[in-house]
Amino acid sequence: MRSIGMGFASLLLGAGIALAEPATITAEAPEVMVEVLQSLGYRAELTKDGEGDPLIRSAASGLKFGIYFYGCEAGSRCTTVQFYLGLELGRTVALSELNDWNRNKRFGVAVLDTDGEPYLKLDLNLDYGGITTPAFEDNLELWERLMADFAEHLQFNEPLSPQEKAAPPAGPLKDL
């Protein structure tokens, strides 16, 4: 009788854990990703890229970025996303600057685009069930730190005024 009670308790505990699982983010539902971004205070606009695939335009810490969707079939049922930050520096960036970034950073790959401008990218594989909302939020926080570090690495930011130096670091922005 005791083993039946323990088995029933285990079943209830397992069901409770299953009920408490956080929602998942997938590349199949870009509108959900937009809602999550907006709920966290980010500006997020769902548009389409040149191929007709979803594209989310957003910003954080004064930097505009895009979330591109890949592995799509006719603009839907996408499987992966790529966070993308392009910087227009108005100067030539030496490959050694980007190689230095890539050698010293584990996440976020720096490359030159076809126009010779530097950009930073971070890929997320959301296939086969996606990732939990907390894991997505964690990746988003990582992305925001990477963008700020990349801009600083390439000296993208203009010199700050004394008031700006004393201000707390900027968080997600709704308007930019």
Side-chain angles (χ1 to χ4, degrees):
M1 181 75 151
R2 183 176 170 159
S3 64
I4 292 173
M6 293 297 284
F8 184 67
S10 296
L11 178 64
L12 288 177
L13 180 61
I17 290 171
L19 294 175
E21 287 183 20
T24 57
I25 303 292
T26 69
E28 292 182 8
E31 63 282 349
V32 172
M33 195 176 295
V34 166
E35 290 173 11
V36 170
L37 286 162
Q38 290 172 343
S39 74
L40 295 170
Y42 290 84
R43 177 184 61 115
E45 173 191 7
L46 181 59
T47 63
K48 301 249 180 220
D49 67 12
E51 309 272 319
D53 295 330
L55 165 63
I56 297 173
R57 296 188 188 282
S58 190
S61 301
L63 298 167
K64 295 178 184 179
F65 68 93
I67 302 174
Y68 289 84
F69 288 71
Y70 289 94
C72 307
E73 295 178 23
S76 64
R77 295 196 313 252
C78 308
T79 58
T80 64
V81 296
Q82 181 181 86
F83 289 78
Y84 178 98
L85 168 71
L87 298 179
E88 293 181 14
L89 297 176
R91 68 173 175 87
T92 302
V93 175
L95 285 177
S96 61
E97 289 179 271
L98 299 181
N99 288 340
D100 183 53
W101 169 271
N102 290 328
R103 183 175 34 261
N104 293 305
K105 296 289 185 179
R106 184 168 171 212
F107 297 101
V109 177
V111 296
L112 293 177
D113 67 13
T114 55
D115 296 328
E117 297 287 348
Y119 72 91
L120 183 68
K121 63 182 183 172
L122 176 69
D123 292 291
L124 292 181
N125 182 1
L126 303 177
D127 205 3
Y128 302 107
I131 60 173
T132 64
T133 301
F136 179 78
E137 291 175 21
D138 187 53
N139 278 282
L140 192 56
E141 289 173 13
L142 170 65
W143 175 244
E144 189 169 349
R145 285 192 316 271
L146 287 169
M147 287 192 309
D149 289 351
F150 187 62
E152 182 179 324
H153 179 77
L154 295 178
Q155 301 171 352
F156 179 71
N157 296 328
E158 296 187 29
L160 299 176
S161 69
Q163 293 85 6
E164 290 172 314
K165 286 181 182 177
L173 301 176
K174 289 187 179 180
D175 300 314
L176 187 63

